[in-house]
């Protein structure tokens, strides 16, 4: 389907079309001083002018002088919690008076949801979550159910934050796959494209005028300018240094930089909580007060926590140095073994939401310059 | 390596404790039978694989299967009471129920090592995953060459199944070597490190395969010793242990570099793990 053009004053017609097709619509909303995705109840209630200033350990709301819809860079969470629930019950067990146990799976249930304002980095991250949870032969039913319910309205990032580096990981700032509809916001409206049959169905109802070649070109230039504005980067296949970080990091496992970063790192797990690709989760049991039943629950976990490496009486990773190293080498090195690419999509959240402002691009640069130590 | 079909990765199946044996003050063995007779009848596993055992209201724990794969009546697990779940399991008596999911992971490469001398190196309760190999080899003696069992323990009382070790040591083409770091009364075996025993082991390194289980430091030292004796790297196998919660390569706790121990292990060849074993923390 060719690109259409949605005039800015008709934005609500997209939300209305989604609502008419039965989707609950989620869009940007302010919550606790940050931009997050929350349900919008009326077609014209999508906020304008939201913006935030991001830096290492720094996030402050500001106002977009141009009053655009999507001039904000990603907040702490976007779509990961919608597919991989932060906490959910997997199965429950009942014990009768004779001690007989009856186990039953708990089915996930999710009605259709449309998320408006999904960024390219998060689409790349979702593809990795799909690869993990929907692996052939071992599909996670809970994840699959939630994932199936999602309709993704992507947006080209026109104003990346200072912490963004998706251009260097090859994942942004312009969405190229994984969306149902994608938008590029220009001064007077949106260049709109469908990326799936579901997306086509919505656009068909909206009956947009075709985008002009000038509009399409303006959107392309906007994406190129956004990529060029990014000051941080990771060495990757698209960067001048080429290759991937696997060998560089795995040959420096005893580098002194690990000790230096461990001295700063609080092992709080914020980076893993905001990372859109982190998939670790703990499984715990919650017995009922009457002792007759129990729920088996999974919830997001972090490799920085005390229990992550616990093994009958000792800890595989007893200190912050080994935990930070586990996180970084998994994300940037051994992820290649598991999924054929790096686990970093350049969203920069781990930098922004680190309370002490540890910058992964800076750590990688420090670790990989100079000779391998061990 | 052998991979067997698993029951499933969803809710556990109810199983009943058929018998319980106290092996040492903290180690016990539970023989379990799935309540669903059809499920019990179709349950198959390979030595070296493990099950997730669920203690009601407390949680699950990964326990390797120590019974013989040909035994279709019960599924055996030898467990040390050390954490919340295992201390709960320790209190169970015959007739009590647990949940069981499994079997999971890849077991020992028993088909691939047929015809070879078999060297088993066990540390501490490492004997549990490997004892099924001992039973397997002894029941199919003609398929293998010499059997050498090298067992190290910290304290003399940590050696369970003493009478079995005595019995095995009297079998033809079978050698049993045991060492305790700290000696004790009536200890007939060596006092010292398990690697001290390698010079006493009688096998042909060129035609042998080694399977080992126990503390990683011990497995590393044993591997290096065996390699020095001329055993090829490709015939050294190790059973690794990590925190396991989902058992299907999903929860992330058991990752060892890029592999998931629950799915890609727990049995690895030396080549697969030697690089990471050189660093603490993976």
């Amino acid at each position: 389907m060719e690109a259409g053009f949605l005039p800015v004053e008709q934005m609500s017609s997209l939300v209305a079309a989604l609502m008419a097709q039965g989707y609950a619509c989620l869009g940007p909303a302010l919550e606790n001083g940050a931009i997050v995705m929350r349900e919008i109840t009326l077609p014209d209630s999508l906020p304008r002018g939201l913006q935030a200033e991001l830096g290492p350990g720094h996030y402050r709301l500001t106002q977009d002088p141009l009053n655009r819809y999507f001039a904000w860079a990603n907040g702490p969470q976007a779509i990961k919690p919608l597919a991989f629930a932060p906490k959910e019950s997997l199965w429950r067990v009942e014990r009768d008076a004779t001690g007989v146990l009856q186990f039953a799976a708990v089915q996930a249930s999710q009605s259709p949801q449309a998320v408006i304002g999904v960024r390219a980095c998060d689409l790349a991250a979702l593809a990795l979550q799909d690869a993990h949870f929907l692996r052939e032969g071992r599909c996670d039913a809970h994840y699959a159910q939630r994932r199936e319910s999602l309709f993704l309205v992507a947006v080209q990032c026109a104003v990346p934050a200072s912490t963004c580096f998706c251009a260097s990981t090859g994942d942004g700032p312009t969405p190229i796959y994984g969306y149902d509809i994608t938008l590029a916001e220009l001064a007077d409206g949106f260049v709109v494209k469908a990326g799936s049959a579901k997306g086509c169905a919505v656009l068909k109802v909206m009956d947009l005028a075709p985008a002009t070649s000038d509009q399409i070109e303006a959107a392309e230039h906007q994406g190129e300018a956004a990529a060029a504005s990014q000051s941080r980067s990771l060495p990757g296949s698209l960067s001048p240094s080429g290759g991937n970080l696997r060998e560089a990091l795995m040959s420096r496992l005893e580098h002194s930089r690990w000790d230096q970063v461990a001295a700063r790192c609080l092992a709080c797990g914020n980076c893993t909580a905001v990372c859109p690709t982190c998939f670790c989760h703990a499984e715990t049991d919650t017995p009922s007060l009457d002792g007759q039943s129990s729920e088996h629950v999974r919830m997001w976990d972090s490799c920085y926590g005390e229990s992550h490496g616990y093994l009958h009486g000792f800890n595989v990773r007893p200190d912050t140095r080994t935990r930070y190293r586990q996180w970084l080498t998994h994300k940037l090195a051994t992820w290649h073994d598991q999924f054929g690419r790096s686990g970093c999509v350049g969203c920069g959240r781990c930098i922004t939401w680190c309370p002490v402002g540890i910058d992964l691009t800076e750590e990688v640069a420090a670790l990989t310059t100079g000779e391998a130590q061990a | 390596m052998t991979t067997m079909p698993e029951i499933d990765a969803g809710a556990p199946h109810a199983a009943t404790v058929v018998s319980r044996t106290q092996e040492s003050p903290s180690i016990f063995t539970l023989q379990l039978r799935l309540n669903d007779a059809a499920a019990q009848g179709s349950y198959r596993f390979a030595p070296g694989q493990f099950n997730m055992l669920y203690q009601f209201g407390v949680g699950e724990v990964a326990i390797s299967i120590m019974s013989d794969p040909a035994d279709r009546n019960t599924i055996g697990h030898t467990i040390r009471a050390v954490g919340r779940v295992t201390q709960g399991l320790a209190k169970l008596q015959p007739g009590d129920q647990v949940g069981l999911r499994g079997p999971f992971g890849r077991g020992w490469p028993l088909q691939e090592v047929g015809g070879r001398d078999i060297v088993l190196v066990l540390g501490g309760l490492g004997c549990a995953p490997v004892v099924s190999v001992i039973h397997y080899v002894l029941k199919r003696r003609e398929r293998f060459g010499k059997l050498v069992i090298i067992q190290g323990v910290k304290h003399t009382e940590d050696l369970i199944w003493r009478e079995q070790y005595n019995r095995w040591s009297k079998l033809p083409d079978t050698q049993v070597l045991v060492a305790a770091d700290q000696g004790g009364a009536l200890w007939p075996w060596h006092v010292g490190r398990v690697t001290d025993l390698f010079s006493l082991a009688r096998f042909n390194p060129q035609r042998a395969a080694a399977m080992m289980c126990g503390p990683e430091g011990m497995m590393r030292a044993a591997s290096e010793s065996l390699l020095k004796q001329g055993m090829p790297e490709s015939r050294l196998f190790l059973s690794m242990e990590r925190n396991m919660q989902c058992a299907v390569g999903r929860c992330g706790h058991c990752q060892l570099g890029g592999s998931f121990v629950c799915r890609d292990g727990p049995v690895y060849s030396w080549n697969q793990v030697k690089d990471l074993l050189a660093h603490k923390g993976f």
Side-chain angles (χ1 to χ4, degrees):
Chain A
M1 183 184 269
E2 64 181 25
F5 190 78
L6 174 68
V8 67
E9 58 277 7
Q10 290 172 29
M11 181 63 194
S12 62
S13 69
L14 170 61
V15 185
L18 289 165
M19 287 178 169
Q21 297 205 4
Y23 294 101
C25 290
L26 282 74
L30 291 182
E31 193 174 285
N32 298 325
I35 299 166
V36 293
M37 292 295 187
R38 291 291 178 264
E39 185 162 357
I40 48 178
T41 50
L42 297 168
D44 62 356
S45 59
L46 207 56
R48 299 183 68 164
L50 292 182
Q51 207 163 46
E53 176 191 279
L54 280 61
H58 179 91
Y59 185 99
R60 294 289 181 279
L61 293 171
T62 56
Q63 183 74 31
D64 173 31
L66 302 178
N67 202 36
R68 286 166 287 186
Y69 278 100
F70 300 106
W72 44 276
N74 249 329
Q77 300 286 354
I79 45 180
K80 181 169 100 167
L82 302 175
F84 171 29
K87 184 176 182 180
E88 67 184 319
S89 187
L90 299 181
W91 45 264
R92 64 194 314 275
V93 53
E94 293 194 23
R95 181 169 66 175
D96 72 12
T98 62
V100 171
L101 301 183
Q102 295 276 5
F103 293 90
V106 175
Q107 304 300 334
S109 148
Q110 181 62 57
S111 49
Q113 304 186 91
V115 193
I116 302 166
V118 174
R119 306 309 166 107
C121 55
D122 282 337
L123 293 174
L126 189 66
L128 282 169
Q129 293 263 304
D130 287 352
H132 182 64
F133 286 102
L134 305 178
R135 195 165 57 84
E136 206 179 326
R138 187 60 86 201
C139 173
D140 183 287
H142 291 75
Y143 180 93
Q145 224 281 336
R146 293 178 194 283
R147 178 71 178 85
E148 189 63 25
S149 76
L150 291 179
F151 184 104
L152 302 171
V153 180
V155 170
Q156 178 194 58
C157 250
V159 192
S162 79
T163 46
C164 292
F165 53 97
C166 63
S168 74
T169 64
D171 297 307
T174 300
I176 49 172
Y177 67 93
Y179 54 80
D180 295 295
I181 289 176
T182 187
L183 311 174
E185 184 172 21
L186 304 176
D188 52 351
F190 302 87
V191 175
V192 184
K193 277 190 282 190
S196 71
K198 283 195 293 187
C200 285
V202 171
L203 291 196
K204 203 172 172 192
V205 175
M206 292 175 67
D207 196 23
L208 300 173
T212 64
S213 55
D214 283 355
Q215 288 165 334
I216 292 170
E217 208 169 293
E220 282 168 6
H221 285 156
Q222 182 165 263
E224 287 158 14
S229 75
Q230 295 182 6
S231 56
R232 285 183 163 79
S233 69
L234 270 185
S237 55
L238 297 181
S239 70
S241 61
N244 71 52
L245 286 166
R246 192 190 186 289
E247 297 316 314
L249 289 174
M250 297 311 278
S251 62
R252 291 168 172 86
L253 296 177
E254 306 300 336
H255 197 290
S256 57
R257 186 71 185 195
W258 300 115
D259 296 297
Q260 292 161 26
V261 70
R264 298 172 63 205
C265 174
L266 307 177
C268 68
N270 265 18
C271 51
T272 56
V274 297
C275 178
T277 68
C278 273
F279 55 71
C280 281
H281 53 273
E283 298 195 8
T284 60
D285 292 84
T286 310
S288 63
L289 281 176
D290 65 8
Q292 297 311 298
S293 66
S294 187
E295 297 263 333
H296 190 75
V297 176
R298 77 170 167 202
M299 60 180 99
W300 289 2
D301 198 6
S302 169
C303 51
Y304 287 91
E306 186 65 21
S307 59
H308 194 277
Y310 174 82
L311 191 58
H312 54 67
F314 81 101
N315 202 311
V316 173
R317 287 178 283 279
D319 52 27
T320 306
R321 175 181 169 276
T322 50
R323 292 179 199 177
Y324 186 87
R325 191 181 64 178
Q326 168 68 21
W327 180 69
L328 197 76
T329 57
H330 179 218
K331 191 68 58 189
L332 301 179
T334 55
W335 205 287
H336 285 274
D337 303 346
Q338 296 171 339
F339 303 104
R341 61 154 292 174
S342 155
C344 179
V345 295
C347 74
R349 288 187 176 98
C350 57
I351 304 171
T352 304
W353 298 96
C354 174
V356 295
I358 294 171
D359 177 346
L360 129 153
T361 63
E362 188 184 326
E363 295 311 309
V364 166
L367 281 160
T368 55
T369 46
E371 291 299 301
Q373 291 189 350
Chain B
M1 300 197 191
T2 323
T3 310
M4 308 287 283
E6 291 144 15
I7 286 185
D8 61 43
H13 290 230
T16 300
V17 177
V18 177
S19 70
R20 181 191 188 284
T21 311
Q22 193 74 38
E23 311 280 6
S24 86
S26 64
I27 301 170
F28 58 99
T29 297
L30 297 179
Q31 295 291 345
L32 303 175
R33 184 178 297 145
L34 295 169
N35 290 4
D36 177 343
Q40 177 64 46
S42 61
Y43 184 90
R44 299 285 184 279
F45 75 95
Q49 286 192 299
F50 67 95
N51 285 322
M52 295 300 289
L53 298 188
Y54 169 75
Q55 165 72 3
F56 178 77
V58 184
E60 289 186 303
V61 66
I63 304 287
S64 56
I65 309 163
M66 53 70 74
S67 47
D68 190 282
D71 177 1
R72 298 284 152 75
N73 293 316
T74 59
I75 310 165
H77 303 83
T78 295
I79 306 164
R80 189 197 294 272
V82 64
R84 287 169 63 239
V85 179
T86 49
Q87 282 166 7
L89 293 172
K91 297 192 176 76
L92 298 178
Q93 294 300 326
D96 288 343
Q97 297 209 354
V98 297
L100 186 152
R101 290 193 290 136
F104 295 112
R106 290 158 175 266
W108 301 104
L110 290 168
Q111 303 296 325
E112 292 164 36
V113 300
R116 301 194 177 280
D117 289 354
I118 302 296
V119 181
L120 304 176
V121 186
L122 309 79
L125 193 55
C127 48
V130 174
V131 79
S132 59
V133 176
I134 299 175
H135 292 306
Y136 186 92
V137 171
L138 292 177
K139 277 201 177 165
R140 301 153 184 88
R141 200 67 195 82
E142 71 290 350
R143 292 195 210 163
F144 298 92
K146 289 194 169 75
L147 175 65
V148 182
I149 302 164
I150 303 173
Q151 164 87 49
V153 290
K154 205 174 215 171
H155 310 283
T156 56
E157 66 267 24
D158 293 338
L159 182 70
I160 60 172
W161 301 320
R162 270 202 195 205
E163 62 285 6
Q164 292 193 50
Y165 283 82
N166 288 328
R167 199 171 70 241
W168 295 332
S169 68
K170 296 187 181 80
L171 296 172
D173 279 336
T174 304
Q175 188 183 12
V176 176
L177 298 164
V178 185
D181 288 349
Q182 294 163 27
L186 299 174
W187 179 248
W189 314 93
H190 179 72
V191 176
R193 290 177 166 276
V194 67
T195 41
D196 299 344
L197 303 171
F198 281 90
S199 57
L200 304 173
R202 291 186 302 273
F203 63 94
N204 179 350
Q206 301 300 328
R207 57 178 300 250
M211 296 178 236
M212 50 191 85
C213 191
E216 285 171 27
M218 182 220 76
M219 290 198 287
R220 250 186 98 191
S223 298
E224 280 158 10
S225 173
L226 289 167
L227 291 170
K228 222 177 266 175
Q229 290 186 46
M231 193 177 285
E233 285 196 345
S234 61
R235 289 210 295 272
L236 273 178
F237 299 93
L238 298 77
S239 180
M240 300 295 295
E241 261 188 299
R242 285 294 177 270
N243 184 357
M244 291 183 194
Q245 299 191 10
C246 73
V248 292
R250 202 175 283 150
C251 78
H253 295 89
C254 73
Q255 289 175 91
L256 177 65
S259 82
F260 293 82
V261 175
C262 69
R263 183 184 83 196
D264 307 317
V267 174
Y268 289 91
S269 73
W270 170 250
N271 286 323
Q272 291 174 297
V273 293
K274 64 179 178 183
D275 290 344
L276 284 180
L277 275 181
H279 302 276
K280 283 207 163 83
F282 283 98

